[in-house]
Amino acid sequence: FLLDYFDDTIYFTYPGKLMASSDGMRTATQVGTFPPTPSTPVMKKSPYGYFTSSGNNIYSSYDLSSWNTELQMRHRTLQHGITHYFDENNNISRVYAGEYSVGNDDVHSVYRGTTSGGEVSWQEILYWGSLSDFYNNNSNLDTIRHVHLVITDPYTGHVWVGTGDANQHS
């Protein structure tokens, strides 16, 4: 899986390995291990290290050579379901991740991880009931099918969350 491009380097996974190429993919070297990838992983760089989503888990690494499990969610994230914002005024990194699944009985959340260089503190910051909750009581509008995206505004740090699929869940 192609992960990201930063610091003039392309990062990608090969089963169990994190690979890097600085010459347009003509050559590549292994820079470390990489968590299991049951779904398309995404990697984000922060001033305090790196974060990746893979399957239902969020992992962190300070050096790209090894990864620690930070958060185990109920469901996986989509490619645009994880984002990062660095608050320069307070020297705080925030990572946001939203859950995606397609079961009618599944509930979904958005989580925020906060760090200023040490341990990451995680909170569930948004929660929605399942589609079944809505179908059982159509006045219950605090329900969604899943989280499509979680994006931070790079200038303000405001967080935008997109849900779906039907109009009442958007």
Side-chain angles (χ1 to χ4, degrees):
F1 294 104
L2 183 62
L3 291 172
D4 211 332
Y5 175 80
F6 46 79
D7 302 332
D8 297 322
T9 303
I10 298 169
Y11 292 92
F12 62 98
T13 64
Y14 195 74
K17 300 175 183 176
L18 178 61
M19 307 295 290
S21 176
S22 298
D23 61 6
M25 299 295 282
R26 287 185 289 281
T27 63
T29 57
Q30 182 177 348
V31 295
T33 60
F34 199 77
T37 52
S39 60
T40 306
V42 176
M43 188 167 70
K44 300 293 180 183
K45 180 183 177 185
S46 86
Y48 300 121
Y50 305 86
F51 293 90
T52 188
S53 68
S54 184
N56 297 15
N57 296 329
I58 305 295
Y59 301 90
S60 69
S61 175
Y62 291 105
D63 57 9
L64 293 175
S65 64
S66 62
W67 296 85
N68 298 311
T69 304
E70 287 289 340
L71 176 67
Q72 293 181 326
M73 300 181 296
R74 287 179 296 270
H75 314 291
R76 67 185 182 100
T77 62
L78 292 180
Q79 180 179 4
H80 298 291
I82 182 171
T83 189
H84 168 263
Y85 178 76
F86 180 65
D87 179 347
E88 293 179 11
N89 295 326
N90 298 307
N91 291 321
I92 295 174
S93 277
R94 292 189 176 92
V95 177
Y96 298 89
E99 296 179 308
Y100 179 92
S101 72
V102 294
N104 283 350
D105 293 326
D106 294 342
V107 298
H108 296 87
S109 297
V110 172
Y111 301 90
R112 178 181 59 211
T114 305
T115 184
S116 56
E119 189 173 314
V120 182
S121 170
W122 289 93
Q123 290 179 289
E124 180 184 53
I125 58 171
L126 293 171
Y127 173 88
W128 293 276
S130 69
L131 282 183
S132 295
D133 294 338
F134 173 76
Y135 295 137
N136 291 335
N137 178 356
N138 290 43
S139 66
N140 185 356
L141 298 180
D142 241 2
T143 62
I144 62 171
R145 181 162 174 84
H146 41 232
V147 176
H148 283 266
L149 59 89
V150 181
I151 297 175
T152 50
D153 183 308
Y155 303 103
T156 65
H158 294 145
V159 180
W160 297 88
V161 177
T163 63
D165 285 320
N167 285 342
Q168 69 267 22
H169 306 122
S170 299

